Amino acid sequence: VAQVDARSGRFRQINKKYCELVGYSEEEMLNLTSRDITHPEDLELDRQQRRDLVAGTIAEFTVEKRYLHKNGQAVWTMVNTVLLRDTKNQPLHFFTHIQDITPRKQMEEAIKQREKQLSKNKELSDAFNGGMEALRNKQWDAAATHLSKAAELDPKQHVVWAQLAEAYNGQAQSKTGEE
């Protein structure tokens, strides 16, 4: 949890958990602004949301954003912010609740990478199966095409797939199609 001055953006109060999350001591944090520790790619969204709070067009906002840990690593957070005003309705400070969602973001990225790999594996399987089907039907050009595709998709076995494709391409050139 943090309290941030609405005019300067400096931290006014900050709890221990927030300090631990970004790797700074409370004393260090009180000399920083929220912009100082916000990931550069998330600055504009953060600025716009805060402008909307000050303008009164929104009462609060919740956003996923990254802070920069003192060690330079990005820390993914879910941030909920409200603006507290004085008796004359002037902005005083932002009250921000931060939740570390880095483990969830890492899991989402791992799932995304896994889905990408599964999709690639399916393409490779389809190319291989297409090549085998073409071979069973003595369609040498089609077999060479499918196996060439497998070579593109599987860099680790590229040489094997390419040699098979080349062999069947040679087979197609030497056959007249009469079997």
Side-chain angles (χ1 to χ4, degrees):
V1 178
Q3 187 183 78
V4 178
D5 184 80
R7 289 186 182 90
S8 70
R10 289 209 178 279
F11 291 99
R12 292 178 65 175
Q13 291 182 349
I14 192 158
N15 71 0
K16 182 180 177 183
K17 184 71 176 166
Y18 193 132
C19 292
E20 290 170 0
L21 184 68
V22 293
Y24 291 95
S25 68
E26 182 179 354
E27 184 179 319
E28 289 172 311
M29 288 295 290
L30 294 175
N31 289 310
L32 295 172
T33 68
S34 60
R35 291 177 298 279
D36 293 335
I37 62 168
T38 297
H39 191 283
E41 293 176 15
D42 297 336
L43 278 171
E44 187 52 40
L45 174 63
D46 196 51
R47 281 189 200 120
Q48 186 58 52
Q49 295 285 2
R50 290 177 188 269
R51 277 187 234 134
D52 290 346
L53 279 176
V54 171
T57 56
I58 59 174
E60 68 178 286
F61 70 86
T62 301
V63 66
E64 291 182 1
K65 69 179 258 187
R66 291 162 291 181
Y67 284 110
L68 294 175
H69 190 278
K70 187 176 181 177
N71 68 12
Q73 295 286 26
V75 179
W76 275 101
T77 61
M78 176 72 71
V79 179
N80 182 265
T81 303
V82 296
L83 175 64
L84 300 175
R85 297 176 180 271
D86 65 17
T87 56
K88 296 179 183 176
N89 205 30
Q90 294 301 306
L92 278 177
H93 53 264
F94 298 103
F95 183 76
T96 303
H97 177 263
I98 297 96
Q99 179 183 2
D100 183 5
I101 60 169
T102 302
R104 188 193 89 202
K105 288 298 211 177
Q106 290 170 334
M107 182 63 72
E108 288 173 358
E109 182 61 26
I111 289 169
K112 190 163 90 174
Q113 291 302 317
R114 178 72 176 184
E115 288 173 348
K116 184 177 176 182
Q117 185 61 47
L118 288 172
S119 176
K120 184 177 175 182
N121 289 349
K122 181 175 180 343
E123 280 187 78
L124 179 59
S125 176
D126 289 349
F128 175 76
N129 290 335
M132 294 301 101
E133 180 65 26
L135 289 174
R136 280 190 290 278
N137 294 323
K138 298 182 181 181
Q139 298 170 333
W140 313 119
D141 286 336
T145 300
H146 284 289
L147 294 172
S148 291
K149 178 69 174 171
E152 292 172 23
L153 293 168
D154 189 2
K156 291 180 183 174
Q157 299 295 320
H158 174 79
V159 172
V160 172
W161 294 118
Q163 287 175 345
L164 283 170
E166 188 177 308
Y168 289 115
N169 192 28
Q171 182 81 3
Q173 290 174 2
S174 66
K175 298 286 181 180
T176 60
E178 299 174 29
E179 293 284 322

